[in-house]
């Protein structure tokens, strides 16, 4: 006779456990961790290139882990800015999981960093399920993809703290409605923050860079021991 | 296609529970799959079959319970399945509703022999 046992736990319990350890390791060093997720080609690496370029003249120390199914190309692009960048080649897997990040961090010391960026594998579905220990998931939606994506891929818009409406310079050449995209994203996730960005033209990445500073400040305030 | 790794996680968790319960055989696993969990049910069933084949869990059944997206009206507490995530309450017309179900991906039960 079979016996039925109730089990209430996430299917991804082991991933979540490792992500929890990563989150603690990052918190102990007050490092902000951002997990960038988008469909292939939306502009994750380009955004990170411009971000690293902007940060190299500052006192901020950052590093990037970048996930790719096949190649080392994104890490090669990102290493040109003098910050550590490590490729995680998943060999077919369509997302990063926490154990891949943990393994990569064995080769990339966290000490002294302010921000750890993770570029996920280009995919709007699978990466949404995996906690990597990040402070926030950032979904990049480029205007060439169409404004219907938030309702078609609700999972990631639900879990992201920030949506970047990227390649906004292309707006005049598309039928993308920023109002519709924002309204739909907020149906799925009323709290989602939205910024418009472009790597090639105005308004640039200023709002994104300020957002990162804001989150870093927030994390350091929260991590500061209460005064007695 | 991350259903293969999801299937592997399900099998690993089930095996862990079976071991803790005196090493019994797992005959059925219940899993709750939310509508926006990002998991394709058919692909998961297929991958599960592949994962347990020729193992101690060969022949175990996977029982998937699909959980539709549900909103609760913050004014009248009515619960409804929204059309395209539209938060407007069909009962009182109010616009504020919060999502209360639909993104789960969890084990719910095991049957052990
Ligand atoms: N017009 C325009 N093109 C951009 C912008 N940002 C990136 N691109 C172009 O978009 C293409 C893809 O950019 P990537 O940065 O490689 O995109 P990705 O998201 O990293 O791609 P995967 O890693 O393959 O998923 C490149 O040809 C970029 O030059 C932008 O702001 N405006
Ligand atoms: Mg890239
Ligand atoms: Zn109502």
């Amino acid at each position: 006779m079979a016996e039925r046992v109730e089990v209430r736990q996430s299917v991804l319990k082991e991933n979540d456990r490792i992500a929890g350890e990563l989150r603690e390791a990052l918190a102990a060093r007050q490092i902000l961790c951002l997990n960038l997720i988008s469909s292939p080609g939306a502009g994750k690496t380009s955004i990170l290139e411009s971000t690293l370029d902007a940060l190299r003249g500052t006192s901020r120390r950052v590093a990037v882990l970048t996930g790719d199914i096949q190649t080392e190309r994104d890490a090669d692009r990102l290493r040109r800015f003098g910050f550590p960048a490590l490729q995680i080649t998943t060999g077919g897997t369509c997302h990063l999981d926490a154990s891949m990040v943990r393994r990569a961090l064995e080769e990339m010391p966290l000490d002294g960093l302010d921000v750890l960026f993770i570029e996920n594998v280009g995919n709007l579905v699978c990466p949404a399920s995996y906690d990597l220990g990040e402070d926030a998931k950032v979904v990049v939606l480029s205007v060439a993809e169409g404004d219907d994506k938030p309702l078609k891929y609700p999972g990631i818009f639900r879990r992201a703290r920030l949506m970047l409406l990227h390649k906004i310079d292309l707006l005049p050449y598309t039928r993308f409605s920023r109002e519709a995209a924002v309204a739909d994203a907020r149906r799925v996730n009323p709290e989602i923050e939205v910024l418009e960005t472009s790597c090639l033209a105005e308004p640039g990445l200023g709002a994104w860079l300020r957002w990162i500073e804001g989150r870093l400040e927030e994390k350091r305030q929260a991590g500061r021991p209460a005064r007695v | 296609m991350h259903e293969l790794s999801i299937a592997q996680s399900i099998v690993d968790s089930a095996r862990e529970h079976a071991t803790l319960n005196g090493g019994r055989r797992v005959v059925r696993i219940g899993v709750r799959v939310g509508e926006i969990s990002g998991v394709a049910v058919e692909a998961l069933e297929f991958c599960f079959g592949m994962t347990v084949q020729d193992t101690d869990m060969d022949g175990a059944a996977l029982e998937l319970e699909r959980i539709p997206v549900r909103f609760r009206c913050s004014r009248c507490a009515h619960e409804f399945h929204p059309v395209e995530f539209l938060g407007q309450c069909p009962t009182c017309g109010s616009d504020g509703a919060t999502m209360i179900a639909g993104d789960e991906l969890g084990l719910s039960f095991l049957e052990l022999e």
Side-chain angles (χ1 to χ4, degrees), chain B residues 73 75-78 89 91-94:
Chain B
C73 174
R75 191 157 134 220
C76 76
H78 178 66
C89 174
T91 303
C92 77
S94 151

Side-chain angles (χ1 to χ4, degrees), chain A residues 179-192:
Chain A
E179 292 76 20
V182 173
D184 288 353
R186 294 214 162 116
R187 278 197 205 174
V188 178
N189 176 3
E191 257 100 66
I192 198 165

Side-chain angles (χ1 to χ4, degrees), chain A residues 1-219:
Chain A
M1 242 313 269
E3 182 203 355
R4 187 174 160 124
V5 200
E6 300 299 316
V7 187
R8 292 279 158 177
Q9 70 178 47
S10 164
V11 160
L12 295 170
K13 187 176 141 232
E14 179 59 12
N15 182 81
D16 296 350
R17 188 185 65 75
I18 298 170
E21 286 177 12
L22 292 171
R23 188 166 280 115
E24 273 177 35
L26 291 160
R29 295 168 178 80
Q30 301 210 320
I31 300 170
L32 178 73
C33 179
L34 301 174
N35 178 3
L36 273 70
I37 297 174
S38 79
S39 59
K44 300 176 296 300
T45 310
S46 304
I47 290 169
L48 289 172
E49 287 178 300
S50 303
T51 303
L52 299 187
D53 193 29
L55 291 176
R56 67 173 152 179
T58 73
S59 61
R60 290 289 177 226
R61 288 295 150 260
V62 305
V64 187
L65 297 179
T66 175
D68 199 291
I69 291 182
Q70 208 62 49
T71 74
E72 288 270 340
R73 287 183 172 212
D74 283 357
D76 292 342
R77 280 167 64 183
L78 291 161
R79 267 194 286 269
R80 298 179 296 138
F81 301 93
F83 294 110
L86 202 81
Q87 187 76 49
I88 304 177
T89 309
T90 64
T93 307
C94 51
H95 61 270
L96 295 178
D97 66 31
S99 68
M100 298 178 197
V101 172
R102 182 172 64 182
R103 220 172 306 132
L105 289 179
E106 284 165 11
E107 288 167 50
M108 201 175 68
L110 285 172
D111 292 314
L113 290 183
D114 297 299
V115 187
L116 174 67
F117 295 102
I118 302 177
E119 174 182 351
N120 220 308
V121 179
N123 180 330
L124 272 181
V125 182
C126 312
S129 301
Y130 292 84
D131 184 1
L132 304 180
E134 73 273 343
D135 293 283
K137 290 185 170 68
V138 177
V139 61
V140 181
L141 172 58
S142 66
V143 304
E145 295 167 65
D147 52 25
D148 54 356
K149 296 303 168 287
L151 292 184
K152 285 192 172 177
Y153 301 91
I156 179 55
F157 291 89
R158 172 89 192 155
R159 294 180 187 92
R161 169 153 178 190
L162 173 68
M163 167 167 80
L164 296 180
L165 284 185
H166 188 56
K167 307 192 190 178
I168 203 79
D169 56 287
L170 297 179
L171 212 47
Y173 312 103
T174 68
R175 297 210 171 129
F176 187 95
S177 157
R178 67 230 288 188
E179 292 76 20
V182 173
D184 288 353
R186 294 214 162 116
R187 278 197 205 174
V188 178
N189 176 3
E191 257 100 66
I192 198 165
E193 298 173 63
V194 183
L195 298 172
E196 299 187 353
T197 51
S198 167
C199 290
L200 299 183
E202 288 302 312
L205 290 174
W208 157 245
L209 293 167
R210 284 190 296 280
W211 188 88
I212 297 171
E213 279 301 314
R215 299 297 70 72
L216 192 53
E217 185 57 29
E218 198 175 80
K219 183 152 191 179

